[in-house]
Each structure stands twice: as C-alpha cells, then as structure tokens.
Amino acid sequence: MQSTPDLCDQYPELVQVLEPMLSNFGGREQFWGQIVTVKCFEDNSVVKQLVGTAGEGRVIVVDAGGSLRRACLGDMLAEQASQNGWAGLVIYGCIRDIDQIMATDIGVQALGVHPMKTEKKGIGEQNIAVSFGGVTFHPGEYLYADNNGVIVAAQPLA
C-alpha cells in the first residue's frame, strides 16, 4: 500500500480524509481493506461477533459514539480478528490491553485507551453508514490507514 499522503496526492478527488483524532495502536502500522461497519455504544457485542467471522482482508469501522468511558476492543478480540483474516479496525472510541494489541498482527486505530470493558447487552447495528470525524463510512467502500491518518474511497486505489 502507498502511504496515505501519496494516495491523497495521486487521487485528491476520490478520497475523504478523517479529521486527525485517532492514534495507531496495532501491530500493523499500515493497513487497508474493504469496509464493514458497526454502530454501538459501550457494548461491543456486535464487534465480538464480527471478529469471529472470516475477515478476508477487510477493515471493521466501529462508531462507538466517541465514548471515552469503555473499551470496545481488547487483546482477545484483536487476536481473534487477526487469526480470522481481518486487516484492521478503526474505532471511534477506546481500546484496552494495548501492549498485547501492539504485538498482534492487525491494524488498530482508536481515540484512546481505557481499562474498563463494555457491557454485553447485544445492542448494536452492522453494515449501515456511520459518520464521525467529517467522514461517512459506507459498507463496501475502501479504507486506508497509516501513521499519517485515515482516508476512505468509494473504489480501491492503486
């Protein structure tokens, strides 16, 4: 994958750029893939279910409502996502177990870190358009992420 700045230079009319708000926590500093979305708030039941399925190089985009009170991803779910072939997760919320996640072969970008896990109430939606940071993420679009930022395009780039 080319860097996100190079993709922005090459395809300025095709990309949306996420506002600078996320930090890179995963073992992969650069990742890309087709988007699968989750919308949830302080309940990662749908994320847990999704990482247990075949990722096929896709990226999970989680709109966790920007919550800074619960972690939507921990080391066990990150490891399961890696083993099942997901390229990465972009989380508008927090994660935990970052030392283990940094050692896991998966891309993870999130707002921050919080030690408290979410409650499991089975609440959440999958494969709907979600919006945060000035970007609307549609299932099936393509996400590219690295230490420079996160960009989205309707079609694969280079």
Side-chain angles (χ1 to χ4, degrees), residues 19-63:
E19 294 169 2
M21 62 174 55
L22 304 179
S23 296
N24 212 343
F25 295 104
R28 289 185 195 170
E29 292 187 346
Q30 186 179 61
F31 61 97
W32 74 279
Q34 202 166 21
I35 295 171
V36 176
T37 61
V38 172
K39 186 173 182 72
C40 59
F41 185 74
E42 297 182 2
D43 179 344
N44 70 347
S45 300
V46 177
V47 175
K48 182 178 182 180
Q49 180 183 15
L50 193 54
V51 299
T53 65
E56 301 168 342
R58 294 174 294 169
V59 175
I60 301 171
V61 175
V62 181
D63 178 357

